Amino acid sequence: MHRRQFIQSLSTLAGGSLLLPACGGPSTKKIPGEIVGASASIGHLLRDGGLQGPVELAGTTDVVIAGGGISGLSAGRWLQKNGISDFVLLDLEKHAGGNAASGHNNICAYPWGAHYIPVPNNDLTEYLAFLQESNVITGYNEQGLPVYNEYYICFAPEERLYINGTWQNGLVPHAGLPVEEQQQFKRFFEQMEIFRQAKGSDGKDAFAIPVLHSSTDIQYRQLDRISMRAWLQQNGYTSGYLHWYCNYCTRDDFGTRYEEASAWAGIHYFAGRKGKAANAEHQDVLTWPQGNAWLAQQLQKNFTSQVKVNSLVVNVAETNTGVDVIYFDVNAKRLKKIAARKCIIAAPQFIAQRLIKNNNRLAAIHEHFSYSPWMVANLTVGPLQERRGEELCWDNVIYDSESLGYVEATHQLLEQHIPQKVLTYYLPLTKSDATTERKKALALQHADWVQMIIKDLQKVHGNIRDAVQHLDVMVWGHAMIQPKLNCIHNPERQQVAQPVNNRIFFAHTDLAGISIFEEGFYQGIQAAKSVIQSFQ
């Protein structure tokens, strides 16, 4: 018996989640917690030009990596593996990792951002090698398929959806759906499977990972010119449930509503995944209590001494011999400079532009790069009252909610019967345009967020206010690139990725057009390879 099946059987014997009687009346309990997280106030000093004064020389190096998200960490790992250890990685936060941030309390670690990776495609050689180094892949079977560590494959039960008064298994709506709506889902997934197997006239996969490896055949590129909603309408999909599901998917992966997301990106969500494994399917996911922060730790484990946190890069300027990188040392409260031969800016393009002030890139960035704001909350809870249907899962979604629901961070712990749990609640802020939502989010107080979250979760947990013991909130102002119309296959986006005079290089998921782990991983490798080649 696989360990995942064993865990599931224990959960069944224990009776799943506790069913509690309804509360007697509305609770007025005040829920403790705070707004935590990304150092927006310090970052805004770069935007507002508030950092001035004398600059102290902090040393010299071959390469400075500006940004410690997945792209920056992947670049550092690749440099280290290929004989370049004279580099420094600078990151504003207290811990590197970017959107793969995490926290912890006395119960467990939990994610503050990206929290899983799908089973990888089998042609991603470098990525598979990294996962094997990290013991996520424990070996290969006789057919050459990877064997994934059972501790990291999401334990059952994995997903549930609250719809039509009940919790159903899985996130694809089916409970209470009319036959004709179920048939539309069947036709939709059959069409997605055709896209998943399709190749263009150039012989490339129509939808590949990384995105740059996808076919440039016009019949697929033209899907970037219409929205996912328009594509559904053009293909005769009228089911409100299917439209909700596609909108949920684009908001989940891209922080973008389906009427704004390009159809190419929306279809890629379903058609880009092709992984095969000895003990997992392409739709399975790998996860950890702290989410992708675990992977970020693995990326940097061999060069932790070269990582300088609490360091805000404020300027990157070419010199006669290389590049001067000026940064604000948050702890010392002073500006410092590192003289480098090369620099990799592993940050979003709206930040990169402020660092190098290159007018040739400015117009393209303003026109083609938009970033979605998110709110993430972590709730420490006692026993929860449950609605009928499926028991508590790793991923728990409420139909027709503005939120994406929550994942249970304690789900992946070896000890399964824990009296308290940590729920990580995700809300992409997509009601209006990103700028408006960003301003609204930054103006809200902790109590405002608590009221909003409790109101949403009361639909499925009648005692949620009494059950919550602590609730912290983090607002991500620019969480991920939005793949709007003409984003993925726009040549200007690709032009922005080009190095500056073979000295300044760029690596970030926004250059790919979609923000997934593999894109960050390969953006970092590509930038590191370009740096290595420039030294030759």
Side-chain angles (χ1 to χ4, degrees):
M1 176 182 286
H2 283 303
R3 186 179 173 284
R4 295 169 69 209
Q5 296 169 313
F6 176 68
I7 293 296
Q8 185 175 15
S9 66
L10 286 180
S11 178
T12 302
L13 290 172
S17 302
L18 292 175
L19 294 173
L20 301 180
C23 300
S27 172
T28 58
K29 170 188 172 185
K30 183 178 179 180
I31 296 173
E34 60 182 334
I35 297 177
V36 302
S39 304
S41 59
I42 298 173
H44 286 169
L45 293 174
L46 171 61
R47 179 195 66 186
D48 301 332
L51 293 171
Q52 298 178 358
V55 178
E56 171 188 321
L57 180 62
T60 61
T61 190
D62 280 342
V63 184
V64 168
I65 302 172
I70 298 304
S71 295
L73 294 174
S74 178
R77 171 182 171 273
W78 196 261
L79 292 175
Q80 184 85 1
K81 287 179 67 69
N82 288 275
I84 297 180
S85 57
D86 186 13
F87 67 88
V88 176
L89 186 150
L90 302 174
D91 191 74
L92 167 60
E93 302 300 332
K94 296 177 183 178
H95 303 282
N99 286 357
S102 69
H104 63 87
N105 57 19
N106 60 354
I107 301 170
C108 70
Y110 45 78
W112 276 121
H115 56 284
Y116 70 93
I117 55 172
V119 168
N121 293 355
N122 297 68
D123 60 345
L124 302 180
T125 306
E126 299 89 348
Y127 187 33
L128 295 175
F130 161 65
L131 293 178
Q132 189 164 15
E133 288 173 17
S134 306
N135 198 38
V136 176
I137 293 175
T138 59
Y140 288 80
N141 69 3
E142 294 178 355
Q143 290 73 43
L145 295 177
V147 179
Y148 286 94
N149 193 324
E150 291 284 346
Y151 291 109
Y152 303 147
I153 301 175
C154 184
F155 298 160
E158 295 180 24
E159 301 171 328
R160 65 176 181 170
L161 173 68
Y162 187 74
I163 182 172
N164 295 329
T166 189
W167 283 110
Q168 62 150 67
N169 179 48
L171 300 186
V172 177
H174 59 79
L177 267 65
V179 173
E180 59 270 22
E181 304 235 16
Q182 296 182 32
Q183 290 174 342
Q184 285 198 35
F185 270 99
K186 182 176 183 294
R187 180 165 68 90
F188 174 80
F189 285 118
E190 287 173 350
Q191 197 160 357
M192 291 303 105
E193 182 61 24
I194 292 171
F195 279 128
R196 202 164 73 89
Q197 303 296 337
K199 292 186 180 293
S201 56
D202 52 10
K204 295 181 178 180
D205 284 352
F207 299 89
I209 298 174
V211 165
L212 190 62
H213 294 174
S214 300
S215 172
T216 57
D217 192 318
I218 185 59
Q219 69 170 313
Y220 301 114
R221 282 194 293 117
Q222 66 186 2
L223 293 169
D224 200 33
R225 301 172 186 171
I226 61 171
S227 71
M228 187 62 185
R229 181 175 69 175
W231 182 87
L232 288 170
Q233 292 169 336
Q234 289 177 10
N235 285 271
Y237 294 108
T238 59
S239 167
Y241 291 103
L242 178 58
H243 278 254
W244 171 84
Y245 180 67
C246 289
N247 189 36
Y248 164 83
C249 292
T250 60
R251 293 176 72 238
D252 180 36
D253 247 30
F254 313 135
T256 307
R257 301 191 77 88
Y258 80 139
E259 66 265 26
E260 293 185 309
S262 101
W264 194 97
I267 294 169
H268 185 276
Y269 176 95
F270 301 98
R273 302 289 177 189
K274 305 172 176 67
K276 296 180 181 179
N279 57 340
E281 303 295 333
H282 72 268
Q283 68 270 19
D284 285 336
V285 299
L286 306 162
T287 189
W288 300 264
Q290 66 269 55
N292 290 6
W294 188 90
L295 292 167
Q297 293 162 3
Q298 300 304 308
L299 283 171
Q300 63 186 299
K301 65 184 179 183
N302 291 325
F303 61 90
T304 53
S305 63
Q306 289 120 289
V307 177
K308 288 184 178 292
V309 294
N310 295 307
S311 301
L312 171 65
V313 177
V314 298
N315 190 56
V316 176
E318 292 185 82
T319 67
N320 292 333
T321 57
V323 183
D324 279 351
V325 179
I326 299 175
Y327 68 99
F328 180 67
D329 186 324
V330 175
N331 293 333
K333 294 182 172 57
R334 65 181 66 179
L335 291 169
K336 296 182 178 181
K337 179 178 73 174
I338 298 177
R341 296 172 65 189
K342 313 284 181 180
C343 178
I344 297 173
I345 301 180
Q349 301 318 300
F350 72 94
I351 292 177
Q353 178 57 34
R354 292 193 179 106
L355 300 182
I356 63 174
K357 301 175 178 62
N358 185 323
N359 290 331
N360 294 330
R361 295 161 42 90
L362 187 59
I365 291 169
H366 279 313
E367 183 176 355
H368 301 294
F369 290 78
S370 176
Y371 302 83
S372 63
W374 286 63
M375 185 277 289
V376 182
N378 272 288
L379 297 74
T380 303
V381 301
L384 292 170
Q385 178 183 345
E386 283 283 8
R387 302 302 184 198
R388 65 191 182 97
E390 293 293 317
E391 63 185 274
L392 186 66
C393 292
W394 171 70
D395 196 7
N396 307 267
V397 177
I398 304 171
Y399 181 80
D400 215 19
S401 169
E402 280 295 320
S403 80
L404 301 176
Y406 62 86
V407 297
E408 185 207 336
T410 38
H411 187 80
Q412 289 297 114
L413 297 180
L414 300 182
E415 180 187 356
Q416 289 293 295
H417 306 295
I418 304 168
Q420 295 171 296
K421 297 185 182 298
V422 178
L423 312 180
T424 306
Y425 177 93
Y426 289 90
L427 177 66
L429 303 172
T430 60
K431 276 189 174 182
S432 59
D433 66 275
T435 300
T436 300
E437 289 297 317
R438 194 174 296 120
K439 290 178 180 178
K440 284 165 54 179
L442 294 176
L444 292 177
Q445 302 299 311
H446 179 263
D448 301 319
W449 290 117
V450 169
Q451 181 177 355
M452 186 184 306
I453 295 165
I454 294 299
K455 182 179 179 181
D456 190 30
L457 294 184
Q458 274 178 335
K459 301 169 189 172
V460 293
H461 302 299
N463 70 328
I464 186 67
R465 181 174 286 276
D466 287 328
V468 175
Q469 299 164 3
H470 194 91
L471 191 160
D472 287 335
V473 169
M474 181 182 290
V475 176
W476 294 91
H478 303 80
M480 59 178 64
I481 187 68
Q482 295 186 296
K484 294 186 175 182
L485 305 194
N486 299 310
C487 172
I488 300 294
H489 290 285
N490 193 308
E492 289 194 45
R493 181 180 58 80
Q494 297 169 14
Q495 185 61 35
V496 166
Q498 298 306 306
V500 176
N501 297 326
N502 232 20
R503 288 179 173 175
I504 301 173
F505 303 81
F506 302 96
H508 197 267
T509 55
D510 62 0
L511 296 172
I514 59 174
S515 184
I516 59 176
F517 187 92
E518 294 97 321
E519 294 292 354
F521 181 83
Y522 278 100
Q523 283 284 328
I525 288 178
Q526 182 56 49
K529 284 182 175 179
S530 296
V531 166
I532 293 169
Q533 185 176 7
S534 73
F535 281 136
Q536 296 172 352

